[in-house]
DNA sequence: ACACTTTTTTAGAATCATTATAAACTACAT
DNA sequence: ATGTAGTTTATAATGATTCTAAAAAAGTGT
């Protein structure tokens, strides 16, 4: 199996459910954004057996911790995740409530001049809100 | 009263509760970040009478709609607000779960090269996550 | 001041995403 | 094959937020 090694190397047992969730998340042409609810529906469509909601939550969080998924900082009652874990930014269409990827080339270099003692920058994320 | 006019001009009746919440939010040396829960505690400390939680929610949302408060896009189970409504960005200390303002001078100019047809940019917000 | 309309406040209930629980199940090392 | 540590699962619990509908307050005209 394609993802068995990847999971084992991360200290995650390659269970049937995790491998199936890997397929739904990573066997795609393009990366995509999702909420747990959306992912849950996608899984129902693509997989015969049922995977419980708790497992989907657990798995998504495990993958996020391992760096296979990223949370997108946005104010919404649902948490958004991204299968694109490269450094990149987002448009957020306020009307449609839709996220759009910004390629790195779409954003000029970002210069954070201030430093905080004893802390280092883990990530820099830009959210560009769009209106009509 | 200091805030009576401001409220009336926004089409909000200057009720006792709203005026008191204005005092807590805006009668301060510095701007600050808060969750509804934190604000609720702050109000309890500073004000004699009780203001119901529903009113705090209503008022904060009304103020946000009028542009007197800003929501901070961040992944948290609680929504964060900012009394600093000038364009600016944030550090987020992952360990302490604390937001820190970045002055505009702390960040070099941001160049968003991509355009989306029929949409205009409403805001550009940067979240810089900090780790140890 | 009074009557009337509209807005606001309020306590409590409802909602809904997420997390916790604890029992059944599975992967994997020995 | 057996043991054990890690997983899955259905369900319950949690907790932030929103809804509801009745009471209170604000605004308006008289």
């Amino acid at each position: 199996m394609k993802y068995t090694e990847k999971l084992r190397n991360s200290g995650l047992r390659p269970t049937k459910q995790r491998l199936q969730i890997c397929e739904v998340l990573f066997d795609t042409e393009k990366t995509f954004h999702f909420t747990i609810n959306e992912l849950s529906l996608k899984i129902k469509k693509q997989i015969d057996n049922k995977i419980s909601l708790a497992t989907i939550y657990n798995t998504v969080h495990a993958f996020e911790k391992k760096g296979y998924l990223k949370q997108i900082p946005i104010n919404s009652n649902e948490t958004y995740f991204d299968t694109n874990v490269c450094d990149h930014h987002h448009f957020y269409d306020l009307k449609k409530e839709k996220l759009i990827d910004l390629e790195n080339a779409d954003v000029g270099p970002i210069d954070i001049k201030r430093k905080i003692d004893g802390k280092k920058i883990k990530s820099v994320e830009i959210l560009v809100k769009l209106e009509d």
Side-chain angles (χ1 to χ4, degrees), chain A:
Chain A
M1 253 317 208
K2 202 169 171 180
Y3 298 105
T4 307
E5 272 312 292
K6 187 176 163 179
L7 287 173
R8 234 194 287 269
N9 291 340
S10 323
L12 298 171
R13 287 187 180 171
T15 63
K16 182 175 151 201
Q17 291 86 342
R18 281 176 180 162
L19 290 167
Q20 289 179 325
I21 293 175
C22 275
E23 282 174 37
V24 174
L25 289 174
F26 307 122
D27 270 4
T28 55
E29 189 90 16
K30 294 181 184 175
T31 60
F32 62 97
H33 310 122
F34 63 91
T35 62
I36 296 287
N37 183 49
E38 288 165 354
L39 178 60
S40 175
L41 294 173
K42 213 162 152 56
I43 288 169
K44 271 201 194 77
K45 267 190 221 144
Q46 295 185 30
I47 305 290
D48 325 337
N49 52 300
K50 195 200 172 197
I51 298 181
S52 98
L53 191 57
T55 300
I56 298 175
Y57 271 98
N58 289 341
T59 303
V60 165
H61 285 140
F63 287 4
E64 199 239 338
K65 202 167 283 177
K66 296 300 178 183
Y68 304 141
L69 291 173
K70 260 178 44 174
Q71 254 187 273
I72 304 174
I74 189 177
N75 278 117
S76 165
N77 61 325
E78 285 174 273
T79 305
Y80 274 83
F81 293 89
D82 198 335
T83 65
N84 180 358
V85 293
C86 302
D87 264 341
H88 71 286
H89 308 289
H90 295 97
F91 278 133
Y92 184 58
D93 185 332
L94 290 164
K95 182 83 141 304
K96 292 189 196 154
E97 294 192 348
K98 262 284 179 198
L99 281 161
I100 303 164
D101 268 6
L102 268 165
E103 302 301 320
N104 242 340
D106 295 333
V107 182
I110 301 144
D111 179 21
I112 307 293
K113 291 166 181 158
R114 182 152 160 227
K115 304 278 172 258
I116 303 280
D117 270 355
K119 298 281 173 184
K120 62 182 181 211
I121 291 173
K122 190 193 175 196
S123 66
V124 176
E125 291 164 275
I126 303 183
L127 185 67
V128 181
K129 289 189 185 160
L130 296 177
E131 63 186 352
D132 292 310

